Amino acid sequence: MNRKKITILLPAYNEESSFDELERCMAQVLRENPDYDWEFLMVNDGSRDNTLQQMIRLHNQDPQHYSYLNLSRNYGKEIALMAGFDYVKSDAMIIMDIDMQHPVDVIPEMTKYWEEGYDDVYAQRKSSKESWLKRNTSKAYYRVLQRLTRVPIQKDTGDFRLLDRSCIEALKQLRETERNTKGLYSWIGFKKKGVLYEQKERLFGESKWSFMQLLELAINGFSSYTVAPLRISTVLGLVVSFAAFLYLIFILVQTLIWGDPVAGYPTIMVTILFLGGVQLLSIGIIGEYLGKVFMETKNRPNYFVESYNGERCSEIK
């Protein structure tokens, strides 16, 4: 009887210091889960350190289990995940961070629920090792996103999950350039099950996500799964216009009946600045959506692969 094959997808950018821990953890996966055939697919997202050399070393040591995909440049984690989806050929896939903050101890529970018929077994953090500010802004972001969109976004959940082949094939069909994969997992649907885990401390290196990158990801999440910001700007414009109209009537009545002079420079400046701010906010929101349309209409390939397991892409395809 043929055993099912599971791929662990490991995107990496400048993670050369994490490979000793990665090797130890993957050995634990092989030792504790012997009922499956395992592949560890590492995706090098244009790293500038020795990450690629470490991937080559592991592949040469154990080509049966370790594979690597070398992208032509740094595209970002979202595109690196997409590339991994395209190259996974297994019955299921588990997505993990290569720094091993995701514990491999959760994998047996994931595979158990998968065998019971669940297509997407996602891991939910019991607690986070991030700073207080990052934890609470993240919670607030997902709380607002859940209220603004019809897509059921899971709380305290990231990329760490097991996906059945049906989910992988569904994700491969979603080719948009401006990606928010955490939302795509929810958007495709399928039968889901959550498992709890304790996020581990990062042993080596530091997070590659800057404040601006996280802010961009958050804005991308809002603009990808809801048009609520556009509706809010429309409602805000109506409210401000109605308030301005009432204020205009008040000024006219005050001037005609009581003979009070029309308010001067301060009132005019406050009104102009307020209305100008509302207009700029609305234009900015429209610009975000228009920018996404512009990027998608280019219809460029999302990424290029330099090599797969040492073979040039042109030689493979």
Side-chain angles (χ1 to χ4, degrees):
M1 180 178 177
N2 293 330
R3 295 188 299 179
K4 293 180 179 178
K5 184 175 182 180
I6 301 176
T7 294
I8 296 183
L9 179 61
L10 301 152
Y13 176 67
N14 292 346
E15 291 284 359
E16 63 174 327
S17 58
S18 299
F19 278 81
D20 288 341
E21 181 67 11
L22 167 68
E23 195 171 1
R24 185 191 69 80
C25 290
M26 295 303 102
Q28 180 182 342
V29 171
L30 293 174
R31 183 174 61 254
E32 297 180 356
N33 303 273
D35 295 332
Y36 299 99
D37 285 330
W38 292 94
E39 177 194 27
F40 311 128
L41 176 58
M42 305 167 289
V43 181
N44 179 40
D45 186 25
S47 299
R48 295 192 298 268
D49 61 1
N50 292 319
T51 294
L52 176 60
Q53 286 70 27
Q54 292 284 4
M55 291 180 178
I56 294 172
R57 176 182 66 83
L58 290 179
H59 173 68
N60 290 338
Q61 286 180 189
D62 187 2
Q64 178 183 353
H65 295 111
Y66 286 95
S67 301
Y68 69 93
L69 187 65
N70 185 33
L71 302 185
S72 61
R73 67 169 178 85
N74 176 239
Y75 291 93
K77 185 179 179 180
E78 300 294 313
I79 299 299
L81 287 173
M82 173 194 274
F85 299 161
D86 291 340
Y87 278 78
V88 168
K89 308 301 179 186
S90 304
D91 300 294
M93 166 181 69
I94 298 175
I95 305 169
M96 300 184 72
D97 288 345
I98 206 165
D99 59 18
M100 292 292 104
Q101 282 190 285
H102 297 153
V104 296
D105 300 338
V106 183
I107 290 178
E109 188 177 5
M110 286 181 161
T111 56
K112 177 178 75 74
Y113 286 119
W114 176 49
E115 294 289 1
E116 290 178 3
Y118 290 96
D119 303 303
D120 179 356
V121 185
Y122 56 90
Q124 290 183 300
R125 292 184 295 271
K126 294 180 182 177
S127 61
S128 175
K129 305 300 181 183
E130 307 292 350
S131 65
W132 178 91
L133 178 62
K134 191 173 181 180
R135 289 198 310 271
N136 285 274
T137 52
S138 177
K139 288 181 180 179
Y141 163 71
Y142 281 107
R143 190 179 301 115
V144 172
L145 184 60
Q146 285 177 324
R147 292 182 178 179
L148 293 180
T149 180
R150 297 179 180 178
V151 179
I153 308 293
Q154 286 86 31
K155 297 180 181 179
D156 301 320
T157 304
D159 294 308
F160 185 26
R161 61 185 62 222
L162 182 150
L163 296 169
D164 181 71
R165 186 77 234 170
S166 56
C167 294
I168 300 171
E169 292 300 324
L171 289 168
K172 286 170 63 176
Q173 296 181 53
L174 307 179
R175 310 303 295 184
E176 58 255 44
T177 302
E178 301 295 312
R179 299 177 68 81
N180 186 288
T181 313
K182 294 176 180 62
L184 294 180
Y185 301 134
S186 301
W187 189 87
I188 62 174
F190 293 95
K191 191 176 181 181
K192 301 183 183 298
K193 176 69 176 180
V195 297
L196 297 176
Y197 80 101
E198 191 71 46
Q199 183 173 326
K200 298 168 64 177
E201 293 279 0
R202 186 182 177 95
L203 298 178
F204 305 100
E206 58 185 15
S207 174
K208 306 304 184 295
W209 291 94
S210 66
F211 172 77
M212 291 306 298
Q213 287 174 319
L214 290 172
L215 179 61
E216 181 181 354
L217 185 65
I219 294 174
N220 197 17
F222 281 119
S223 57
S224 294
Y225 301 103
T226 177
V227 295
L230 290 173
R231 292 172 180 166
I232 292 172
S233 66
T234 301
V235 172
L236 184 61
L238 290 173
V239 170
V240 170
S241 298
F242 183 69
F245 179 72
L246 293 179
Y247 184 64
L248 173 63
I249 294 175
F250 171 75
I251 293 295
L252 289 175
V253 170
Q254 187 181 43
T255 304
L256 293 173
I257 297 178
W258 290 284
D260 291 342
V262 178
Y265 180 77
T267 304
I268 294 174
M269 286 303 298
V270 168
T271 304
I272 291 175
L273 291 174
F274 178 68
L275 293 176
V278 172
Q279 290 172 340
L280 289 174
L281 174 64
S282 300
I283 292 172
I285 292 173
I286 294 171
E288 285 292 332
Y289 284 91
L290 184 60
K292 292 179 72 69
V293 173
F294 171 70
M295 295 301 294
E296 297 301 331
T297 55
K298 289 182 178 182
N299 201 29
R300 292 176 179 173
N302 287 287
Y303 66 89
F304 289 103
V305 175
E306 183 176 314
S307 61
Y308 175 62
N309 286 341
E311 298 183 49
R312 301 289 292 186
C313 182
S314 59
E315 297 173 354
I316 300 169
K317 299 193 175 182

